[in-house]
Amino acid sequence: MPAPTTRACLDVLAYRCTPALLDGATVHLRQFPTSVTSLWTLLDRQYKDIVKREEAQAPHSVLTGALRCLTGGYVFFDPKQGLLATRRPLDDDTLRDAFTLLHGLILGHHPDDIDLNRPTPLAERVAETMPQERLLADYLITPDGSQTPGSSAPGRQPDAANWVYSTVAWDLAHRLAQHTWRVDGQDITLRPDSSGGLIAWQQPWSNKAGTAHALARVRLTLKTLPNVSDPILVVSSQATRISRTMAYARTVLAEQAEAALPIVEVEMAGRGRVRRVHRMSLQTLARLGMDHSVLHNIQQRVEVEQSADARGDNASQDGPETVAEAETGAGGLGPIRPVQGKTFSFPVGRGVGMHHLRELDRHIGQILAPTPLTIVQDPRARGFKQLPQAELSVQPGDILRSLDAMSYQHLRLVCLWYRDEMRQRMIHGLASVFGLDPQTIDPAEGIPVPLEGSRVSAVFHCVPDFLVHGPAAGQETAVARIPSLKKEPSTLVGVWAETEYDAAAEEEEASAPAGADEDAKHQARRTLARLGFVSQFTAARKEAKRKKPNGKQTDHQVVLSLLDLCRSLGIIDRRIDQVMVDAIGPHAADQVAHCGIHVRRQSRQGKDRTAKICVTASVLKPPTTPGGAWTLHGWSYTHRHWQPYHQAQAAFHAEPYPTGKMTDFDDDNRGHKTVAQHIDQALADLCDYLDGAPYTVTVDGVATRRLWLGLHNRRQGQQPTRNSTWLPASTLPARERPLAVVRINKDMDEVPRPIRVSHRSADGTVARTNKVTNLLYQVEPDFGSPTWLLATVPPQFDGAGAGRLGEAITRWSASHGSSDSDNRSKNEVRPNWYSMTATEIYPIITAGTSGNPNTAPIEPQSLALAAARLCHQPLAWANRTRYPVPLHAAQQMDLDHPQYRRSALADDQNAEAIGDTSPTDDGTPAGDQS
């Protein structure tokens, strides 16, 4: 008999948040009248006038921090929405006193001068608002009533109140913490934290000497998915490294006096090496009679380390004796644990591994019995092919095709070097690409060497003054007389340059002031861009740990830098042709252009306290002739016109990011609308640039959630609101709009994390499982169009010598290794452990029907397949990128900017979001914005 048919289902660490899951959980809520929000707005206006910064906001986090100490840890306060939620009841008198103190401190009054017997009107109104105990389950029902999976009835997105998204994890975390987690034969105790997550507080992961530690953390976040009627509880887990000192710590974890209370997560105030607990929080607690709170203990630790540092003691250094060790014994962990703020080398690796996540899923299933999502393999997404790493190389044929497509007769590679070793590496790299004998290549200074007939050549120049790090590095005078660096109408020029790696500079770069960069690479790139040329730099060769049997070693730095230089030049190889196979409605795959728009919020710099938004874009344009190459083009907010990618990138890199009055791209409500309008103008220009050819637009849903309301989950199926920038190009005439907008989300705090594939029969029985997968899966919707998840196994998980760490054990069972010749073993604690990731792909069809019944409709699946294949087959890499090619190329323009590392958000240089996790000003819940 034939074997029963099964379907492959992706299991993820995400579950439907149903009323049954919440099981009677409640919070104590005060919903303030409009008079309270009006008084807060007035207070906020007074604070702006005092600090003389329009973008400043009255520090309501001060009150949240103080109330957490007074109520046991769980507090959510949103002054704009006018509500306060706590897990425990809050005394009216305490609340009145706290608001009176906060009001006076914000206005600059000394805490001793604030009379608690004369509460402010704001404090009175707040205390008069009656608290109500709310059942969380009552707020998960959609306006159309409860839905069941597979229901044919029209549905609506979950429309829970904002405070539900911020408080729902409190009770769930406590329920999970009541049960021991049995894993790897050990009993792990998880303690709740004030953010609604869990921490393995008593069982850290430590190095062999016991001097470095990391904690297992679990985060529970309520989000939504498009066209799924229930909110989704997304679970993630990570290794949080604990610093031995308070230096540079932005976040501190602290244990409260009672073991039953949650671990408090405290955000430190200030910048630089020494950060402090916010002064107003300490003053508020002191006046309320709490002189020995968690916040006071943290601040005392800061002051002890500062005093020791001033005396020159070891206590503030990363040496054998620190303040923490003095409190708890050598290498011990005390009740105050600063989180490692920088990415310095650390004896305990990042990541928790696949087995950890699967066991966490089992534990949650046993305790909470949640309803899983149904996510099935897309039948058209089989057989994704990818070029092996060993075969990845620039192909001369692809260079010639792209030169023809860009109307260039010649490509000149200008090779800048100062060490003979690098010169030889460049020669061998070029010889390998163009099939030449490196022994026959001995280029003289400034004399072109033909590489591919008359179409491609290389010319070498020794310019140590230009390339060596220092204050004089990268100056135009060092290359001004090089004849090869002259523009010629029929010649495409790319610069391939040497650079040296300075580890100390890399570590300090994130905190360096904007004008203090002496890295030759950044200065040289800016100079070359001003001359109109794109550049790529190659560092010293990294020797492989394992030698190949034939003794040959691939110089991967050279291979990858040549590929990246080709990407910067806009050279598109044949692999793109191979993946562009799915027709989009009535249009063939090679008839539709694909645009990606990258948006990133810059950090505030110097005296310019207004955050700015950086925008770049690229478009992958189809061939103009049969068999021709695709071409890449770019746009940036500093040079607002479309041009070939290499020209757009050079123009963008030639100037610093605009600041102050030089740009209207501010990170505020007015600025968001302005940015969206400028992007619409760019898309109108793109329509002309493409001669009216159809196109799609791809954006990061997290990065752009404040720009376009039509991207939000709760807005799907709705009509655009008046005077809004609903979607990219929605303000343009219909003929200028894209066929569709493809929303990408790669934020692993929001995207369900894959843990395995289960092959299920019709009755739900699991016939077999696969531990990993790289395929595309579809989230079955309750109504409307589906979402897709592209599951990815990181290359480091399967890399040479990686050993799939974390596949069968958790870090609690990891070996510290041994160098004993008789019992040699690998140190499993120090390396990073990897697990599968997922990229969420959600296509939104924007093109109207033509009225012709014979015209093929545009299906979301074809757009999802195209996006997945463009992630799977990047331009200059053998492995996947988290973004499809057009969006990745747009982002890369920004990442390669000479000023990028000093303008990216300090906490995470990979973060692009201009929004945050707080509710939007239009009332959209945090979990509903993407």
Side-chain angles (χ1 to χ4, degrees):
M1 295 181 62
T5 58
T6 61
R7 64 175 182 172
C9 298
L10 186 67
D11 295 337
V12 296
L13 265 178
Y15 317 94
R16 288 177 177 266
C17 189
T18 61
L21 177 67
L22 297 183
D23 191 28
T26 63
V27 297
H28 296 269
L29 184 71
R30 295 177 190 249
Q31 288 186 297
F32 303 127
T34 54
S35 59
V36 171
T37 55
S38 298
L39 288 170
W40 182 271
T41 301
L42 175 62
L43 178 62
D44 190 62
R45 179 70 264 168
Q46 292 173 301
Y47 181 74
K48 294 178 189 294
D49 293 339
I50 291 172
V51 299
K52 294 181 172 55
R53 294 207 319 266
E54 189 61 31
E55 75 281 1
Q57 295 182 347
H60 69 272
S61 60
V62 169
L63 184 70
T64 303
L67 291 179
R68 279 178 178 166
C69 295
L70 293 167
T71 62
Y74 291 115
V75 175
F76 172 73
F77 175 47
D78 186 343
K80 290 186 177 180
Q81 297 296 318
L83 57 89
L84 173 69
T86 59
R87 190 165 186 265
R88 291 182 173 182
L90 185 59
D91 179 72
D92 292 345
D93 292 336
T94 301
L95 193 59
R96 182 184 295 106
D97 289 347
F99 268 88
T100 299
L101 284 166
L102 177 67
H103 190 281
L105 293 172
I106 285 176
L107 297 182
H109 300 160
H110 190 278
D112 293 338
D113 296 334
I114 301 172
D115 187 355
L116 297 182
N117 293 319
R118 300 179 62 183
T120 64
L122 173 63
E124 288 280 19
R125 300 286 175 83
V126 166
E128 290 169 357
T129 304
M130 293 297 296
Q132 296 180 332
E133 189 172 10
R134 299 291 181 88
L135 191 66
L136 285 168
D138 290 345
Y139 296 87
L140 297 181
I141 300 175
T142 64
D144 295 324
S146 59
Q147 295 283 321
T148 58
S151 171
S152 60
R156 288 280 299 278
Q157 287 287 152
D159 199 19
N162 296 343
W163 56 269
V164 175
Y165 288 88
S166 300
T167 62
V168 74
W170 294 350
D171 187 75
L172 293 173
H174 268 270
R175 286 166 58 191
L176 289 170
Q178 290 172 6
H179 299 267
T180 300
W181 181 17
R182 185 70 178 174
V183 58
D184 287 1
Q186 303 180 54
D187 292 329
I188 305 301
T189 301
L190 296 174
R191 292 183 58 179
D193 64 38
S194 60
S195 66
L198 297 147
I199 305 178
W201 189 256
Q202 286 94 357
Q203 292 151 307
W205 296 320
S206 307
N207 64 340
K208 191 172 185 177
T211 57
H213 313 275
L215 300 175
R217 299 195 68 181
V218 178
R219 296 191 184 277
L220 309 175
T221 309
L222 194 65
K223 298 294 179 182
T224 62
L225 282 175
N227 302 326
V228 175
S229 58
D230 296 306
I232 306 302
L233 181 69
V234 178
V235 182
S236 60
S237 185
Q238 54 276 323
T240 297
R241 295 168 167 179
I242 302 303
S243 173
R244 300 172 72 184
T245 71
M246 299 292 292
Y248 298 109
R250 299 185 180 98
T251 306
V252 177
L253 301 173
E255 188 176 26
Q256 300 194 72
E258 298 180 34
L261 297 177
I263 305 299
V264 175
E265 183 174 342
V266 179
E267 295 295 326
M268 304 295 283
R271 291 183 142 192
R273 188 177 189 277
V274 179
R275 298 175 184 236
R276 305 172 58 88
V277 175
H278 203 293
R279 173 179 50 82
M280 292 186 187
S281 293
L282 296 174
Q283 293 172 331
T284 300
L285 290 172
R287 282 297 310 274
L288 294 177
M290 288 194 69
D291 294 318
H292 300 288
S293 67
V294 165
L295 299 186
H296 287 92
N297 295 339
I298 294 173
Q299 183 57 33
Q300 184 179 18
R301 168 86 177 266
V302 171
E303 292 170 357
V304 168
E305 290 191 11
Q306 273 189 286
S307 298
D309 189 47
R311 295 193 306 267
D313 294 348
N314 290 341
S316 66
Q317 306 299 321
D318 198 13
E321 294 182 3
T322 65
V323 172
E325 292 168 357
E327 295 174 352
T328 62
L333 282 172
I336 297 172
R337 304 181 185 180
V339 175
Q340 185 86 7
K342 287 192 172 186
T343 56
F344 294 127
S345 177
F346 201 78
V348 182
R350 297 182 181 275
V352 299
M354 291 299 304
H355 184 68
H356 181 110
L357 299 179
R358 296 187 189 111
E359 288 296 294
L360 183 59
D361 172 68
R362 179 184 58 80
H363 182 64
I364 292 173
Q366 291 174 346
I367 306 305
L368 302 180
T371 303
L373 291 166
T374 303
I375 307 174
V376 299
Q377 183 181 315
D378 192 304
R380 288 171 56 184
R382 287 182 173 273
F384 274 19
K385 292 183 179 180
Q386 201 166 51
L387 192 68
Q389 177 78 35
E391 299 178 18
L392 184 68
S393 177
V394 177
Q395 299 299 316
D398 291 333
I399 293 177
L400 300 185
R401 289 175 73 229
S402 287
L403 288 176
D404 292 338
M406 292 187 286
S407 301
Y408 284 111
Q409 297 298 316
H410 186 77
L411 169 64
R412 180 193 302 139
L413 299 176
V414 179
C415 304
L416 305 181
W417 62 282
Y418 68 92
R419 291 179 297 187
D420 188 65
E421 176 194 358
M422 187 63 209
R423 178 177 177 272
Q424 292 300 318
R425 290 174 65 203
M426 288 178 165
I427 290 173
H428 280 77
L430 293 172
S432 176
V433 167
F434 293 98
L436 304 174
D437 182 357
Q439 302 302 322
T440 64
I441 304 177
D442 187 17
E445 177 75 14
I447 303 300
V449 176
L451 300 175
E452 185 73 15
S454 62
R455 302 297 303 275
V456 183
S457 67
V459 57
F460 285 71
H461 296 277
C462 182
V463 284
D465 293 346
F466 189 67
L467 299 175
V468 176
H469 295 322
Q475 299 301 312
E476 186 174 347
T477 54
V479 294
R481 297 185 179 181
I482 295 180
S484 305
L485 293 176
K486 304 296 181 184
K487 285 188 175 182
E488 299 176 19
S490 61
T491 299
L492 177 64
V493 178
V495 178
W496 189 18
E498 176 180 5
T499 187
E500 59 180 340
Y501 175 70
D502 186 344
E506 287 290 321
E507 286 186 345
E508 295 299 326
E509 196 170 33
S511 60
D517 193 353
E518 296 183 359
D519 190 320
K521 177 173 60 178
H522 304 323
Q523 302 290 358
R525 175 166 280 160
R526 164 88 31 95
T527 295
L528 293 168
R530 286 173 175 165
L531 295 174
F533 305 118
V534 295
S535 55
Q536 179 62 36
F537 292 78
T538 304
R541 180 171 182 168
K542 295 180 181 179
E543 295 294 336
K545 294 181 179 179
R546 293 189 176 186
K547 302 291 184 181
K548 292 185 177 180
N550 58 10
K552 294 183 178 179
Q553 295 296 319
T554 302
D555 192 340
H556 292 290
Q557 287 74 38
V558 164
V559 171
L560 294 177
S561 62
L562 275 174
L563 283 165
D564 219 20
L565 178 58
C566 286
R567 188 265 310 163
S568 294
L569 290 168
I571 293 172
I572 307 296
D573 61 45
R574 295 177 189 270
R575 293 179 298 159
I576 299 301
D577 303 39
Q578 296 167 3
V579 299
M580 303 300 285
V581 295
D582 293 294
I584 300 176
H587 309 287
D590 61 356
Q591 294 176 342
V592 179
H594 299 276
C595 175
I597 301 172
H598 164 71
V599 179
R600 178 180 62 82
R601 175 183 181 269
Q602 298 178 35
S603 64
R604 298 178 176 91
Q605 301 178 47
K607 296 181 180 180
D608 180 20
R609 302 302 297 169
T610 303
K612 303 298 180 182
I613 297 173
C614 170
V615 185
T616 53
S618 76
V619 63
L620 194 59
K621 187 177 179 182
T624 56
T625 58
W630 290 71
T631 53
L632 193 63
H633 308 260
W635 179 97
S636 71
Y637 75 122
T638 57
H639 295 77
R640 300 175 190 178
H641 55 276
W642 291 92
Q643 52 192 147
Y645 186 78
H646 66 281
Q647 296 178 15
Q649 178 166 294
F652 181 55
H653 291 176
E655 301 296 335
Y657 292 122
T659 58
K661 300 299 183 181
M662 295 177 65
T663 175
D664 51 4
F665 282 24
D666 291 339
D667 183 25
D668 54 31
N669 289 332
R670 180 183 299 176
H672 297 158
K673 191 167 186 177
T674 301
V675 171
Q677 291 169 344
H678 279 290
I679 291 174
D680 278 7
Q681 182 58 55
L683 293 176
D685 297 340
L686 176 63
C687 189
D688 293 337
Y689 190 77
L690 297 173
D691 294 326
Y695 70 99
T696 68
V697 170
T698 302
V699 297
D700 184 309
V702 175
T704 59
R705 61 177 27 153
R706 301 263 183 170
L707 301 185
W708 296 297
L709 294 179
L711 293 178
H712 297 181
N713 289 340
R714 70 194 292 254
R715 308 289 184 179
Q716 300 312 302
Q718 297 183 13
Q719 293 299 314
T721 57
R722 292 187 61 185
N723 301 319
S724 71
T725 51
W726 186 254
L727 286 171
S730 62
T731 63
L732 303 180
R735 67 180 182 277
E736 297 180 355
R737 297 174 191 166
L739 300 177
V741 175
V742 181
R743 193 190 73 186
I744 302 293
N745 191 347
K746 63 181 181 62
D747 187 336
M748 292 313 299
D749 286 335
E750 298 192 2
V751 179
R753 184 176 286 273
I755 56 175
R756 71 180 153 257
V757 177
S758 296
H759 297 265
R760 300 180 182 273
S761 57
D763 62 359
T765 304
V766 178
R768 60 187 177 90
T769 61
N770 298 109
K771 290 186 175 181
V772 294
T773 178
N774 274 306
L775 296 179
L776 184 68
Y777 293 82
Q778 177 182 305
V779 181
E780 290 195 348
D782 298 327
F783 47 86
S785 60
T787 306
W788 280 262
L789 296 179
L790 178 62
T792 300
V793 180
Q796 299 92 335
F797 183 76
D798 280 320
R804 292 193 168 191
L805 291 173
E807 172 62 29
I809 62 171
T810 67
R811 282 191 177 273
W812 286 291
S813 300
S815 170
H816 289 99
S818 173
S819 57
D820 187 346
S821 57
D822 296 331
N823 189 28
R824 193 179 300 275
S825 61
K826 180 178 181 179
N827 183 344
E828 297 175 329
V829 175
R830 189 178 188 90
N832 294 333
W833 288 23
Y834 296 93
S835 52
M836 283 191 291
T837 62
T839 297
E840 179 188 302
I841 303 172
Y842 179 57
I844 303 173
I845 309 301
T846 56
T849 58
S850 63
N852 185 350
N854 297 320
T855 300
I858 297 176
E859 298 180 351
Q861 185 184 31
S862 61
L863 295 161
L865 286 167
R869 290 190 171 114
L870 287 172
C871 290
H872 188 75
Q873 193 61 82
L875 292 179
W877 190 240
N879 303 301
R880 280 185 182 166
T881 52
R882 301 299 300 277
Y883 286 147
V885 165
L887 184 54
H888 179 78
Q891 181 197 39
Q892 204 63 43
M893 286 177 63
D894 183 28
L895 298 184
D896 287 344
H897 193 282
Q899 209 176 356
Y900 169 75
R901 287 169 179 80
R902 296 190 306 273
S903 70
L905 288 170
D907 289 340
D908 182 3
Q909 291 186 1
N910 294 320
E912 297 97 24
I914 62 172
D916 53 23
T917 56
S918 61
T920 57
D921 292 321
D922 72 333
T924 302
D928 191 48
Q929 295 175 44
S930 62

